[in-house]
Amino acid sequence: MADKGFQEPRTGNLFFPVYIYTYEPAEEYEMRKEINLLIEKLKRPNNYLDSLVINMYDEMIEYLKAEQFANRSLFDLISEKEKEDDEEALTWVRDEINEGNFYNNFTNKVKKHFGENNEKKVYLVLYGFGTAYPYLRVSDFLKNTEQLIKEFKVIVFYPGNYDNNNYNMFGLLNDDNLYRANHLNKYLAIE
């Protein structure tokens, strides 16, 4: 990731600079430590790369806590609904994520971090999709942020595997429509 050629958003798949790194779901907490170490290495003076790392589960929870309805946070209201009807609560979260301001807020956060004319912008590193599932799916996220994604090299850490051009969350659940993303493991010669 410190390679200057790889850092350019237009390398790889010219129209969709997203790379997904798959790993065993049981390695989730070890992977989170590795992500932090990787980002620290990229920040070193000989690399000096600006990367934004976002835990998508935390991002989703932060959004739900900030959104208010009848002077209460959506997070609190959904938590109460979950005790009564967990399916209805699941639908409510999905609807709020996909139809509310979640993606606008996310886009604004990324643009604020990197700035409009920041020459250092390099990687948008995303993880936590396993924890955010089934509320937030990687395929839905990528579809809803496609315009933003084209400005950055996006690295998604994905607890699952890649087989026959499909990503499978936890090695079990097919996450549709990610075929356009590059499988980063292939570039690292790690399978």
Side-chain angles (χ1 to χ4, degrees), residues 127-184:
Y127 71 98
F129 284 102
T131 312
Y133 182 87
Y135 306 105
L136 179 64
R137 293 182 59 151
V138 177
S139 56
D140 292 338
F141 176 82
L142 294 176
K143 278 186 248 176
N144 284 302
T145 58
E146 188 166 348
Q147 288 307 104
L148 173 69
I149 284 171
K150 290 180 179 181
E151 298 178 31
F152 304 96
K153 183 75 64 136
V154 178
I155 309 296
V156 175
F157 287 86
Y158 188 89
N161 62 19
Y162 177 77
D163 188 37
N164 295 325
N165 292 327
N166 287 307
Y167 290 90
N168 299 296
M169 179 78 65
F170 313 122
L172 303 170
L173 307 169
N174 185 7
D175 207 349
D176 299 327
N177 300 319
L178 289 177
Y179 59 89
R180 292 172 43 197
N182 299 285
H183 189 220
L184 185 57

Side-chain angles (χ1 to χ4, degrees), residues 1-60:
M1 289 175 62
D3 179 73
K4 297 293 182 203
F6 184 76
Q7 293 167 16
E8 174 60 42
R10 290 170 288 282
T11 60
N13 184 330
L14 296 178
F15 303 106
F16 204 63
V18 176
Y19 290 79
I20 297 179
Y21 180 81
T22 56
Y23 58 92
E24 290 296 322
E27 298 172 357
E28 178 68 27
Y29 294 105
E30 184 61 33
M31 187 57 60
R32 290 180 184 194
K33 291 178 191 173
E34 293 296 322
I35 291 168
N36 289 331
L37 291 173
L38 172 66
I39 297 306
E40 286 305 313
K41 286 180 183 177
L42 292 174
K43 286 181 184 177
R44 289 184 183 158
N46 57 334
N47 295 320
Y48 194 57
L49 302 178
D50 188 14
S51 298
L52 177 59
V53 180
I54 298 177
N55 178 330
M56 294 307 300
Y57 176 77
D58 290 347
E59 191 72 14
M60 181 182 70

